[in-house]
């Protein structure tokens, strides 16, 4: 991989890989370090990529993060997750932050696999097919797990006093 291609590859995927790593390790500094390690590994083993470069990069990120967590033998929980969004008033900002905190706490209550599927689908904007390929599941299995996760998340939010709109 030449320098220009690596730069474009990094520009295209670094943000979403960082967010994915952050969602797994729940530590900003560790996610930044892991992201650099992922792209170094990607540079060194680019020839091993099998077809879908994006899914392959996520696989490298996932394995790198799990190795880190296993070596560290600890799991760090955070109080809040960084979300993009601007509102016009302080009251709206506070309400939005509280809703995000509750949503994040609800996601942390989901089983690891269900949480990971929702994170990949909504935050990394992967398709069901890409998630299935990445996690070595069938697309139908991914759909079922996503549906169950959304149902559990909806129930968690409603139990905690948040009205939700829509069916999913």
């Amino acid at each position: 991989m030449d320098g220009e291609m690596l730069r474009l590859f990094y520009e295209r995927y670094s943000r979403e890989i960082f967010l994915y790593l952050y969602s797994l390790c729940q530590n900003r500094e560790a996610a930044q370090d892991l992201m650099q390690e992922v792209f170094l590994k990607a540079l060194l083993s680019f020839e091993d990529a099998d077809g879908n470069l994006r899914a392959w990069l996520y696989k490298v990120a996932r394995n790198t993060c799990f190795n880190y967590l296993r070596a560290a033998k600890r799991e760090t929980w955070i109080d809040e997750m960084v979300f993009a969004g601007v509102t016009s008033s302080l009251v709206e900002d506070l309400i939005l932050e509280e809703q995000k905190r509750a949503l994040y706490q609800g996601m942390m209550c989901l089983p690891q696999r269900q949480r990971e599927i929702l994170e990949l689908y909504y935050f990394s904007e992967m398709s069901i097919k890409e998630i299935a390929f990445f996690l070595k599941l069938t697309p139908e299995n991914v759909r079922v797990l996503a549906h169950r996760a959304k149902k559990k998340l909806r129930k968690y939010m409603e139990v905690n006093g948040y009205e939700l709109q829509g069916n999913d």
Side-chain angles (χ1 to χ4, degrees):
M1 179 183 295
D2 68 13
E4 180 64 17
M5 194 164 133
L6 178 62
R7 185 184 65 76
L8 292 173
F9 190 66
Y10 184 84
E11 284 178 7
R12 176 147 187 200
Y13 296 112
S14 62
R15 178 168 164 67
E16 66 184 78
I17 292 297
F18 169 77
L19 290 173
Y20 177 65
L21 289 166
Y22 184 68
S23 74
L24 292 176
C25 72
Q26 302 168 6
N27 180 300
R28 179 178 292 278
E29 291 78 24
Q32 289 171 335
D33 291 343
L34 289 168
M35 185 182 69
Q36 298 305 317
E37 187 176 338
V38 165
F39 279 94
L40 177 61
K41 286 180 179 180
L43 174 64
L44 296 175
S45 63
F46 186 71
E47 296 80 31
D48 297 337
D50 56 351
N52 186 335
L53 290 178
R54 185 174 185 222
W56 172 76
L57 188 61
Y58 271 88
K59 183 189 276 186
V60 172
R62 183 175 195 244
N63 291 340
T64 301
C65 187
F66 285 169
N67 288 341
Y68 162 80
L69 291 173
R70 205 173 299 117
K73 292 184 181 178
R74 66 181 163 80
E75 200 170 300
T76 304
W77 294 95
I78 59 172
D79 293 330
E80 60 186 288
M81 186 173 188
V82 177
F83 285 89
V86 178
T87 58
S88 60
S89 76
L90 181 59
V91 172
E92 288 173 344
D93 286 346
L94 292 173
I95 291 170
L96 186 59
E97 285 305 311
E98 179 58 32
Q99 289 171 339
K100 288 176 185 176
R101 184 174 291 115
L103 181 61
Y104 179 74
Q105 289 170 343
M107 286 192 66
M108 290 294 101
C109 292
L110 295 174
Q112 164 71 28
R113 181 60 56 116
Q114 290 179 356
R115 183 175 68 235
E116 188 172 15
I117 288 171
L118 291 185
E119 289 167 347
L120 290 170
Y121 187 76
Y122 289 108
F123 302 126
S124 297
E125 298 178 352
M126 290 178 107
S127 69
I128 296 292
K129 188 176 177 181
E130 287 175 315
I131 295 169
F133 176 79
F134 172 62
L135 296 177
K136 295 183 173 131
L137 299 169
T138 65
E140 185 57 33
N141 193 245
V142 171
R143 278 194 239 2
V144 168
L145 288 169
H147 175 74
R148 289 177 183 164
K150 289 187 264 185
K151 192 173 176 180
K152 287 179 186 175
L153 192 55
R154 173 175 291 283
K155 184 174 181 174
Y156 176 89
M157 295 298 286
E158 288 172 351
V159 164
N160 286 287
Y162 293 94
E163 286 186 36
L164 301 175
Q165 299 174 349
N167 294 334
D168 259 341

